[in-house]
Structure formats: C-alpha cells, structure tokens
Amino acid sequence: MQIDWVAVVAQIVNFLILVWLLKRFLYGPILRVMEERQERISREMDEAGEREAAAKEEERRHREARRELDEQRDEMLDEAREEAEATRRQLVEQARHEVQDLERRWHESLREEQDAFVRELRERMGRQVCSVARRALEDIANQELQAQVLSVFTQRLRKLDDARREELRSALGDADRAPRITSAFALTSAQRNELQAAAREALEDDLQLSFEESDELLCGIELAVGGLKIAWSIDSYLDALEHSVVGAIERETASEGRERDAQAAEAPSVDDVMPPSEVMPPEGEDRE
Amino acid sequence: MNQAMRLTPDELIIFEIGSLSVSATFVFTWLLMLLMAGGAWLITRRLSSDVRISPAQNVLEIIVMGIRDQISAMGVKRPELYMPFVGTLFLFIAVSNIFAAILPGFQAPTGSLSTTVALAFAVFVAVPIYGISQRGLGGYLRQYIEPTPLMLPMNVIGEFSRTVALAFRLFGNVMSGSLIVGMLLMLAPFFFPVVMRLLGLLTGLVQAYIFGVLAMVYIASATRVARGESDDVQPEATATKAV
C-alpha cells in the first residue's frame, strides 16, 4: 500500500475543482440570497417602523381632531342650551304680558260693565224714585208737591248769589231766544206768574218766560237762559245716590282686584302660568 | 469477497485510457463532484430571497449556515473567506462517507490513501497561504520561532506531522470501517453488518467534522496570532486532544 503520487495530484486537482464548483453553485448563491433576505427584512422592518410612526402620528391627529370636535360640540350644545333658555324666558315673559294684557282688558270690560250697570241702576232708580214720588204725590198731595217744588225753585231763583246772577244776565243778553221754563208737570197760570215775578226780580224787570213740559225732568223744574240752566229736580238727589252707589261698587271692585294680584304674586314659578287662551275672567257674582 | 477485502478503492481499476488506469477512487470522486455540484446548481438556480423558500433551499441554507457558524466559532473575523475551502472539505468527506455507508457497492474515495493525502496536502498548503494573506510573510514565519527560536524545529516538525496525521486519521477510519464490514460479512452475514454500517455512518460524519474543524483550527492559528501569542497554540492542542 504505497502512495500513488499521480493519484494524489489528480485528487488535489479534483478537490480544487470541487471547491470552485461549490463556491460557484452553493456558497455564493446561498450567501447572496441570505444577505438579500436579511437586507430585505431589515428594510421591511424599517418601513414597518416608519409606517408605525406614521400611523401613530395619524392616530394622534385623529385624536386631536376628535377632541376638537367634542369641544365644538360641547360649545354648540351650550350655546343651544343658552338660546333655548333665553327663548323660554322670552316666551314666558310674553305669556306673562299676554296674561297681564288679558287681565287688564278684563278689568276694563268689567269696569265698562260696572259703568253700564251703574248707569242702568241710576236710570232705574231715578225712574223708580220718580214713579214712587209721583205715585206718592198722586196718592197723597199731588198739588202740594208741585207747589213745594215750585216754591223751592222760586226760592233758589231769588237766593242766587251775585256772581251767578251776573252770569245769567250776560247769558240773557247773548241769547236769541226767550228764557224757557221746563217742568215735569203742568203749571197753573198763578204759578207761571209767580215764576215770572221771581225771574224778573232775579234777572230783568221786563223778562218774558216761555213754558213747556217734559217727562225727562224727573219731578223737577228748570230755567234755561241761553246756555245756562238753573234747575231743581229729583235728578240732583239721584246724582247723590248714584255717587254713593258707584263709590260702593268701585271700592268693592278695587278690593277684589288687590286680592287677585296677591294670589298671582304667590304663584310658585313662571312655569305654572297658564297659556293665554286659558286665562279667562272669573265668572260669577262679580258680573252681576 | 475480493471487493470486501480490498483495503482501498485504488486497487479497483474501472477502465484504462492508454497507459493511464482509472481506478474506482477517481470514478466515485467524479460521481460525487457531479452529484454535489449538479444538485447545488439545480437548487440554487431558483433561489428566493423571500421569507417563504423551497424545502431544498432551506436544507442548503441550513448546511451553509451551520458551516459558517462552526467557522465563526473558531474566532475568525470573516468566515466567508474560509468557507469554500473548509466547507468543501467537510461536505466532500461527509457525502462520501454517507454514500459509502448507505449505498452498497459505493467505494468511498476517502478510503483511498491518495485522496486523504491529497486533502491533507491541500490543508498543508492552504494554511501558509491563508496565514501569509492575512498577516504577511514575516508575520506568518514569525510564528515558527515563537515562543523562542529554540522551538523552530519543533514547530516545523509539528507542521508536517499534523498533516500526515490528518491524512492517516481519515484514511484509517474510513478504511477500517469498510474492512470491519467486510470481515463481519464473512463471520456473521446477517444483522451485524447492518449495525456496523450504521456505526460507519456515525464515524464517517464524525471524521468529516474532525477533518473540517482541524483544518479550520490550523488555518485560524496561522491567521490569528496577531491578536495574542498564546492563542494560536491552544485551540490546536485542545482540538487534537479531543480527537
């Protein structure tokens, strides 16, 4: 078993060829590919890192935008709430005004009704008093009452103060018609003469009176000179009666109004104010 | 019987060209070269740098990476520089021994003394080439007179003796493996040869590993002394002891 040196040299050559072949076909390509893969992976990692950073940035911006949106929304909600509150206050105020307006109008109509009532009452009372007086005069002493009325009126004529007398005289000068005596009852000629005398005594000596009758003067008599009048009638008493009745009614109404205002002030809150359409003047004894 | 008792494939002449007789060593060497280079070419012509790769590429990558990691473990800076040489040593011996163990009739070229001497001689030449290319001529030669010039004869003798040991270790192991199988076939034709072939597979791979690692250790010690005087001797000593 000796060493064949030719074979050794041949094997060395073979081995070197194999080294070259494997370097060419095995180590080189494999190492190159692995290096490429490593580069690629590191590149992709870098890209992924960049993308992640970009995504984080994006997320941060989204968060920011969302926060801004939330703030805007809150602001808008607050504004809307304030506006709604203001509108509500305004509406309540308006409703309160309308209610007050209605109340005021109701008061006015009530007052008108009161006035009408008082007028009617006065008329009715005047008529009543008149008819009572008339019936009483007819039943008892018709002539006497007329005489009394006449004498009171005559007395008044005679007892006119100077200022009044002057007024009447100047009115008499201006007048184009004769002074006129209007009475609710027919005057006898004696009564007419007496009136004539009293008028002449009070005003002018050559005064000529005209006479007429009228039912509007309730059991009274009046002297019209131009635009001025001197009268006595149940009217004046009725006026006094009317004053006292009206005063009583107004006092009553005023006290009721105060009670209503006090009740309105005690109301718990503005929310409880009824809509205007439902606010109606209370009905009942106040209208009678 | 004759084949089994043959000590080396050198003695089996396949054919002759003129006065040159071509033995089985060369035929099987060429066969191995064809298989390895052709297989590598077939696989590496369609390589992918993608993350998904073919299983064959995966196997090749594992082998190449394993060789590179082993070379790196020797402490050299650029394993790519030594990989073609050392890696081919390991792969050639490993494939040759594996085929010998699993293919009946295959004569391992590594069982031929001329092949192992050729490989050892290649290492013997490669060590100074790598050493000089890395450290320069002076730097390489200086290691022979270290630690003292008195050690020069010892170092030169060691250089030669380790080459001879490299060649005969591989030859002896592979040859003895096939020899034992041949003898066992005569004594106990059943079962035992199979076990011995399994053992041959193991020893074949171990021998390939040892040859590659020793070659790398010699190269590393020749290129690495610049870093420290004591480093170059130690790995060689431990590796040789391990064998």
Side-chain angles (χ1 to χ4, degrees):
Chain A
M1 193 178 66
Q2 62 217 22
I3 297 170
D4 178 1
W5 289 105
V6 177
V8 168
V9 172
Q11 283 297 68
I12 288 174
V13 170
N14 282 340
F15 175 72
L16 289 178
I17 290 170
L18 185 63
V19 167
W20 181 81
L21 283 174
L22 287 189
K23 188 183 179 185
R24 169 80 177 73
F25 291 121
L26 181 63
Y27 309 121
I30 292 282
L31 286 177
R32 198 165 52 244
V33 155
M34 286 168 75
E35 205 166 313
E36 276 172 20
R37 184 182 305 131
Q38 202 167 355
E39 271 176 20
R40 182 170 156 168
I41 287 172
S42 67
R43 194 174 60 240
E44 279 171 3
M45 292 291 277
D46 288 350
E47 282 172 8
E50 281 168 19
R51 272 200 294 275
E52 196 185 345
K56 276 196 180 134
E57 174 65 19
E58 185 80 357
E59 189 196 356
R60 196 188 59 74
R61 268 192 278 125
H62 272 290
R63 249 185 240 282
E64 191 77 10
R66 172 115 181 255
R67 201 174 52 74
E68 277 174 20
L69 276 178
D70 281 352
E71 278 175 9
Q72 278 178 5
R73 193 194 58 196
D74 287 350
E75 268 175 34
M76 281 163 75
L77 272 177
D78 285 349
E79 275 174 25
R81 215 171 281 135
E82 278 168 19
E83 268 176 37
E85 181 67 17
T87 310
R88 197 176 69 91
R89 273 204 208 102
Q90 196 183 333
L91 283 174
V92 165
E93 195 67 21
Q94 202 176 329
R96 200 201 302 270
H97 279 307
E98 278 172 19
V99 167
Q100 283 174 352
D101 208 33
L102 270 177
E103 204 176 55
R104 191 175 49 73
R105 266 183 286 171
W106 175 68
H107 275 298
E108 277 171 13
S109 72
L110 187 66
R111 208 168 296 126
E112 278 168 17
E113 275 181 34
Q114 275 177 359
D115 290 348
F117 170 69
V118 165
R119 262 196 312 280
E120 198 187 326
L121 184 68
R122 196 185 69 178
E123 257 178 52
R124 202 178 291 170
M125 278 173 74
R127 282 203 197 89
Q128 203 68 32
V129 166
C130 201
S131 70
V132 164
R134 219 171 253 139
R135 221 179 304 142
L137 289 172
E138 277 170 9
D139 286 357
I140 305 162
N142 198 2
Q143 295 300 318
E144 285 290 319
L145 178 64
Q146 289 180 4
Q148 278 299 318
V149 168
L150 201 62
S151 78
V152 168
F153 183 70
T154 317
Q155 287 250 303
R156 186 174 286 185
L157 263 181
R158 282 188 179 131
K159 282 179 183 167
L160 280 173
D161 53 12
D162 292 342
R164 187 76 176 153
R165 207 181 288 245
E166 280 305 313
E167 263 184 275
L168 282 171
R169 276 187 189 132
S170 64
L172 188 62
D174 297 339
D176 50 350
R177 281 178 59 181
R180 189 177 69 240
I181 290 287
T182 312
S183 63
F185 45 88
L187 295 170
T188 62
S189 59
Q191 285 169 334
R192 286 186 185 186
N193 286 337
E194 196 179 346
L195 276 170
Q196 185 97 21
R200 280 179 179 166
E201 188 182 324
L203 301 171
E204 278 180 16
D205 294 341
D206 56 346
L207 189 70
Q208 197 64 42
L209 293 171
S210 65
F211 295 92
E212 65 179 44
E213 283 178 36
S214 167
D215 284 341
E216 287 178 8
L217 288 172
L218 298 169
C219 289
I221 183 163
E222 75 170 20
L223 168 63
V225 183
L228 294 178
K229 273 183 184 172
I230 293 171
W232 182 96
S233 82
I234 291 180
D235 247 3
S236 56
Y237 297 105
L238 287 179
D239 281 347
L241 183 63
E242 182 187 314
H243 272 122
S244 69
V245 168
V246 166
I249 286 171
E250 275 177 355
R251 272 196 302 281
E252 188 82 4
T253 317
S255 69
E256 279 174 7
R258 269 197 303 282
E259 279 170 22
R260 248 197 319 279
D261 289 346
Q263 280 170 3
E266 282 169 14
S269 89
V270 282
D271 294 320
D272 293 340
V273 173
M274 281 186 289
S277 63
E278 291 177 34
V279 178
M280 297 293 283
E283 301 196 1
E285 73 274 2
D286 287 355
R287 289 199 144 187
E288 294 301 315
Chain B
M1 185 70 72
N2 284 338
Q3 188 185 342
M5 284 308 291
R6 257 199 315 274
L7 286 180
T8 78
D10 285 343
E11 294 165 11
L12 179 63
I13 307 299
I14 304 293
F15 58 87
E16 293 185 19
I17 303 169
S19 61
L20 275 176
S21 56
V22 177
S23 66
T25 307
F26 292 103
V27 171
F28 286 116
T29 300
W30 291 333
L31 196 65
L32 278 177
M33 285 166 68
L34 195 69
L35 270 172
M36 289 166 74
W41 174 74
L42 274 178
I43 293 168
T44 57
R45 67 178 174 166
R46 279 196 304 266
L47 284 181
S48 159
S49 64
D50 201 351
V51 181
R52 281 181 290 275
I53 54 176
S54 66
Q57 183 183 345
N58 201 4
V59 169
L60 285 193
E61 284 188 6
I62 288 169
I63 290 169
V64 171
M65 285 307 294
I67 292 169
R68 198 174 71 167
D69 288 347
Q70 286 294 324
I71 294 171
S72 295
M74 298 298 159
V76 293
K77 278 176 189 154
R78 293 167 61 201
E80 292 81 8
L81 210 61
Y82 312 102
M83 200 163 76
F85 181 72
V86 179
T88 307
L89 276 178
F90 168 76
L91 285 180
F92 177 70
I93 298 165
V95 173
S96 165
N97 290 349
I98 288 169
F99 278 16
I102 63 173
L103 290 181
F106 184 90
Q107 298 286 316
T110 45
S112 149
L113 192 58
S114 52
T115 307
T116 59
V117 167
L119 295 180
F121 187 76
V123 174
F124 178 75
V125 174
V127 168
I129 289 175
Y130 276 118
I132 292 167
S133 74
Q134 295 292 306
R135 302 171 57 195
L137 184 60
Y140 172 72
L141 290 178
R142 199 178 302 130
Q143 68 170 333
Y144 286 105
I145 55 166
E146 281 168 351
T148 72
L150 283 176
M151 291 295 287
L152 177 65
M154 301 296 174
N155 283 332
V156 173
I157 291 169
E159 195 77 16
F160 282 100
S161 66
R162 72 187 187 189
T163 305
V164 173
L166 209 55
F168 277 87
R169 183 188 302 113
L170 182 60
F171 166 71
N173 273 289
V174 176
M175 182 209 65
S176 67
S178 58
L179 198 66
I180 287 169
V181 170
M183 287 161 70
L184 277 174
L185 270 175
M186 286 193 299
L187 298 175
F190 304 106
F191 185 67
F192 271 110
V194 176
V195 177
M196 290 316 292
R197 287 229 178 233
L198 277 175
L199 201 61
L201 193 66
L202 181 67
T203 56
L205 273 174
V206 168
Q207 287 307 316
Y209 179 75
I210 287 168
F211 200 101
V213 165
L214 282 179
M216 193 57 229
V217 165
Y218 299 153
I219 293 168
S221 69
T223 57
R224 209 175 43 166
V225 185
R227 287 199 290 165
E229 305 296 333
S230 58
D231 283 1
D232 59 333
V233 190
Q234 208 170 1
E236 184 187 345
T238 49
T240 316
K241 249 180 255 170
V243 175

